[in-house]
Amino acid sequence: MKQKQGGAGPETNLVPIYIMGERYLVPDSLTIQKALEYAGYQLIRGCGCRGGICGACATVFRMPGSYRIEVGLACQTVVKADMHLTQIPFFPANKAIYNLDDLKPSGSVVASLYPELFKCVGCSTCTRSCPMDIEVMEYVSQAIRGNIAKVAELSFDCVMCGLCAARCPAEEVQYNVAILCRRLYGKHIAHRDEHLAVAVSNVEEKKYDDGLQKLMKAGVEELKKIYVAREVEPEMADEFWVPQNKEGL
Ligand code: SF4
Ligand code: SF4
Ligand code: FES
């Protein structure tokens, strides 16, 4: 369909979509999130970063003639004509309460906080549901084996959207297991970076305070000049690159 539509550009292709069963005509170039707003919805929940990072906009949809429930992040998925959709802004999944300082990085700790891990039937629905293309079933399997480092590595791109848990027949909460493992990994297993330790001690010794004060007192024009003149790390810089001006280090 091609028709003129106020506010959507001089010539906009409009396609029908169904939001919670209601039919709307929206430009075919919009993401689901923008189409929701175009249709008049005000996004109070189910919307955060708008950039595929926060995981707040998990959406399920189905195309006519197909039994398949498809999933996507509303801010990243472009509408398709005749799609039927709804968002799942909140999924009431199990979330273990713990004090990270009291936990050891062991498989038995993960298993005791999330014993339902062992109910996994290996169906791979979680992997197929993940909009970030994460090997979810594989990290669940690594969690069962107690390989915390591998879970942390495999789940690194998880945006906590909840789609895997929403579709899991074994009622797993994959993303909460994963974040527990990443926390354990970060606290106990990951290599301590010396640069980070130096940076933290510099902050504690207030080494950057004068520079920050200078920036806070500068006017807009001065700030623009500083910004334009700043030394930027070249894209292909090797790991030993350091700026010539070491004032801020
Ligand atoms: S969807 Fe649930 S049961 Fe199926 S593989 Fe993933 S975690 Fe296991
Ligand atoms: S692992 Fe689960 S919660 Fe994380 S991004 Fe994939 S579907 Fe979303
Ligand atoms: S709004 Fe944050 S991932 Fe879509």
Side-chain angles (χ1 to χ4, degrees):
M1 177 187 308
K2 196 171 237 184
Q3 67 184 63
K4 286 196 172 187
Q5 179 85 5
E11 275 219 333
T12 304
N13 286 324
L14 296 178
V15 290
I17 63 168
Y18 296 81
I19 303 169
M20 291 181 285
E22 193 78 32
R23 185 176 188 271
Y24 297 91
L25 286 176
V26 300
D28 63 359
S29 56
L30 295 187
T31 60
I32 290 173
Q33 194 165 68
K34 287 185 178 157
L36 285 164
E37 289 174 319
Y38 184 89
Y41 286 84
Q42 192 184 1
L43 303 179
I44 296 168
R45 299 205 61 146
C47 174
C49 67
R50 292 176 174 261
I53 302 292
C54 75
C57 60
T59 301
V60 290
F61 62 91
R62 194 179 60 74
M63 300 305 294
S66 169
Y67 61 84
R68 241 190 111 205
I69 294 289
E70 299 183 54
V71 296
L73 296 175
C75 67
Q76 302 297 298
T77 310
V78 175
V79 293
K80 295 185 203 168
D82 295 318
M83 73 195 311
H84 288 244
L85 66 93
T86 192
Q87 286 196 275
I88 56 154
F90 172 74
F91 192 75
N94 179 29
K95 184 176 170 197
I97 306 294
Y98 50 81
N99 182 347
L100 194 60
D101 290 336
D102 298 338
L103 301 185
K104 297 254 179 311
S106 74
S108 58
V109 163
V110 179
S112 67
L113 288 167
Y114 290 104
E116 66 271 31
L117 265 175
F118 296 93
K119 284 170 56 192
C120 173
V121 295
C123 65
S124 200
T125 307
C126 48
T127 300
R128 285 198 300 273
S129 305
C130 180
M132 302 302 287
D133 292 333
I134 295 171
E135 295 289 334
V136 188
M137 185 177 79
E138 180 57 27
Y139 82 59
V140 168
S141 154
Q142 293 294 341
I144 290 169
R145 287 181 226 165
N147 191 341
I148 288 167
K150 198 67 189 170
V151 180
E153 181 198 323
L154 289 170
S155 69
F156 188 78
D157 289 331
C158 173
V159 294
M160 311 282 289
C161 69
L163 283 165
C164 49
R167 313 228 38 225
C168 174
E171 297 162 322
E172 308 285 352
V173 192
Q174 298 87 338
Y175 53 93
N176 280 343
V177 172
I179 201 167
L180 166 64
C181 290
R182 292 201 299 281
R183 285 170 176 157
L184 289 169
Y185 179 79
K187 188 166 176 61
H188 298 285
I189 303 171
H191 168 71
R192 297 284 149 207
D193 189 285
E194 281 173 30
H195 296 95
L196 180 62
V198 172
V200 169
S201 101
N202 285 346
V203 170
E204 285 170 352
E205 289 164 17
K206 304 188 188 304
K207 199 173 164 189
Y208 306 120
D209 283 16
D210 288 349
L212 286 171
Q213 285 301 326
K214 203 168 123 194
L215 289 177
M216 284 166 74
K217 284 182 190 145
V220 174
E221 290 309 314
E222 175 68 9
L223 283 174
K224 280 184 188 168
K225 260 194 232 159
I226 296 171
Y227 181 77
V228 170
R230 78 199 190 284
E231 212 181 330
V232 180
E233 181 176 344
E235 252 178 52
M236 301 305 284
D238 64 27
E239 60 184 305
F240 303 110
W241 180 86
V242 283
Q244 284 178 2
N245 178 359
K246 301 189 181 57
E247 202 182 316
L249 291 182

